Amino acid sequence: MKKIIATEKAPKAIGPYSQAVACGNFLFTSGQLGLDPATGDFAKGGVTEQTEQVISNLKAVIEKAGFTLNDVVKATCFLADINDFAAMNEVYKKYFTGDFPARSAFAIKSLPKGGLVEIEAICYKD
């Protein structure tokens, strides 16, 4: 049975999708941008600041569903510029330590609203 997850601590969906969907022991999040949920604006600065906000948003959605960042088994990172990979990775590794989740990272032509980074995750717990 699937359950729709929504929290005010992350930006509202900007389209016809849910912030996350829980299904059994799994949680599938939608991609999170570096938008401040209070203002709807991107975090001030560059990819480092946006990545901090992305992970804060992702964490809020994951925790609303009763999971933690330690339950992430797969993350997918999307970058507007692959040259920002190292900066994104510096922030990412502060939050994911030890047994790292599997991960993919892609440079894409553009992200919604002109974002610099977007991250989605799949979580699992027993």
Side-chain angles (χ1 to χ4, degrees):
M1 182 168 156
K2 74 178 184 179
K3 179 181 176 187
I4 303 303
I5 306 300
T7 178
E8 297 291 323
K9 294 181 180 178
K12 293 181 190 234
I14 56 175
Y17 60 89
S18 301
Q19 289 174 330
V21 176
C23 189
N25 294 344
F26 285 94
L27 177 71
F28 302 87
T29 75
S30 293
Q32 289 294 315
L33 293 167
L35 296 169
D36 180 324
T39 66
D41 296 329
F42 281 106
K44 297 209 183 309
V47 72
T48 297
E49 293 79 11
Q50 283 194 28
T51 303
E52 289 279 357
Q53 186 65 58
V54 164
I55 295 176
S56 175
N57 295 341
L58 195 60
K59 185 174 183 251
V61 172
I62 288 169
E63 288 179 350
K64 176 69 175 185
F67 290 76
T68 71
L69 289 177
N70 289 331
D71 297 318
V72 175
V73 294
K74 174 71 166 78
T76 305
C77 306
F78 305 95
L79 296 161
D81 184 343
I82 199 64
N83 292 313
D84 288 334
F85 179 81
M88 179 276 299
N89 212 40
E90 285 301 310
V91 175
Y92 181 96
K93 72 181 183 181
K94 291 187 331 187
Y95 295 92
F96 296 99
T97 60
D99 294 331
F100 299 111
R103 185 180 83 179
S104 302
F106 302 94
I108 61 172
K109 185 175 179 181
S110 62
L111 288 166
K113 296 188 154 203
L116 301 177
V117 61
E118 180 175 358
I119 301 175
E120 65 181 22
I122 299 171
C123 302
Y124 175 83
K125 70 177 180 176
D126 294 325

